[in-house]
């Protein structure tokens, strides 16, 4: 199963809890990129730009594309053609964790580990640009503006 959604939607936490409940490993792609590159995310963006990060993210996704696990993706994965296509071709459910922009922005605005979080307007533009892609790619949309337990139970029920 793949979890997609904007920054701050809780993909990593939900993946972990879901993994415990379904007895499957939970993989956080950001963590994998950091592990595989030996650099943290701001450093990758600084050294290689967003395009370098997207290539690394794709390579990490590819590694888990056939594994039986819960994968929490980074919020921008849907903007990179090869990653989008790979997600589309994978024969596992893709779940979109949705929340409104203001809720997400409040959660992420102080986070220095997310290089794409700049002004409110810039982040809003990303949100608007990505919303349609999340919805097009996902098999299910889950409202993530509630407790992690409720989200996990909801996903568990529909599987
Ligand atoms: C990004 C989201 C981040 C991380 C990187 C880029 C994005 O992951 O991959 O900072 O473009 O939205 P989270 O969605 O886990 O914050």
């Amino acid at each position: 199963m793949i979890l997609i959604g904007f920054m701050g939607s809780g993909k990593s936490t939900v993946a972990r809890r879901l993994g415990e409940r379904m007895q499957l490993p939970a993989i956080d792609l950001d963590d994998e990129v950091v592990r595989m590159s030996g650099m943290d995310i701001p450093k990758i963006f600084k050294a290689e730009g967003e395009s370098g990060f997207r290539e690394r993210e794709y390579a990490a996704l590819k590694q888990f594309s056939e594994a039986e696990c819960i994968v929490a993706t980074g919020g921008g994965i849907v903007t990179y053609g090869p990653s989008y296509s790979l997600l589309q071709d994978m024969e596992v459910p893709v779940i979109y964790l949705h929340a409104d922009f203001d809720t997400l922005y409040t959660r992420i605005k102080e986070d220095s580990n997310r290089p794409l979080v700049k002004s409110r307007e810039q982040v809003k533009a990303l949100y608007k640009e990505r919303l349609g892609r999340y919805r097009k790619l996902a098999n299910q949309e889950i409202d993530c503006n509630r407790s992690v337990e409720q989200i996990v139970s909801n996903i568990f029920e529909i599987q």
Side-chain angles (χ1 to χ4, degrees), residues 19 36 59 64 102 109 138:
M36 288 160 72
F64 294 99
D102 289 333
K109 64 183 178 190

Side-chain angles (χ1 to χ4, degrees), residues 7 11 30 41 53-54 57 74-76 114-116 130:
M7 294 175 271
K11 297 167 298 233
D30 283 344
I41 292 178
F53 176 78
R54 296 294 167 218
E57 187 178 43
R114 289 178 164 121
L116 292 180
R130 294 172 179 181

Side-chain angles (χ1 to χ4, degrees), residues 2 4 54 57-58 61 73 75-90 94 129-138:
I2 309 281
I4 61 171
R54 296 294 167 218
E57 187 178 43
Y58 171 72
L61 176 66
T73 58
I77 201 159
V78 294
T79 64
Y80 185 59
S83 294
Y84 189 97
S85 303
L86 182 55
L87 287 168
Q88 228 173 5
D89 293 344
M90 284 162 68
V94 177
E129 181 191 313
R130 294 172 179 181
L131 186 59
R133 296 183 200 223
Y134 295 138
R135 289 194 156 141
K136 204 163 163 199
L137 191 59

Side-chain angles (χ1 to χ4, degrees), residues 37-107:
S37 66
M39 290 185 274
D40 63 23
I41 292 178
K43 198 164 178 192
I44 299 172
F45 269 72
K46 205 165 170 213
E48 303 174 357
E50 182 176 348
S51 61
F53 176 78
R54 296 294 167 218
E55 283 170 28
R56 290 183 178 279
E57 187 178 43
Y58 171 72
L61 176 66
K62 210 154 178 228
Q63 272 209 331
F64 294 99
S65 59
E66 287 178 22
E68 214 186 321
C69 58
I70 317 278
V71 179
T73 58
I77 201 159
V78 294
T79 64
Y80 185 59
S83 294
Y84 189 97
S85 303
L86 182 55
L87 287 168
Q88 228 173 5
D89 293 344
M90 284 162 68
E91 286 165 2
V92 293
V94 177
I95 313 282
Y96 165 42
L97 299 187
H98 175 77
D100 62 84
F101 175 74
D102 289 333
T103 303
L104 296 171
Y105 189 67
T106 305
R107 290 184 194 166

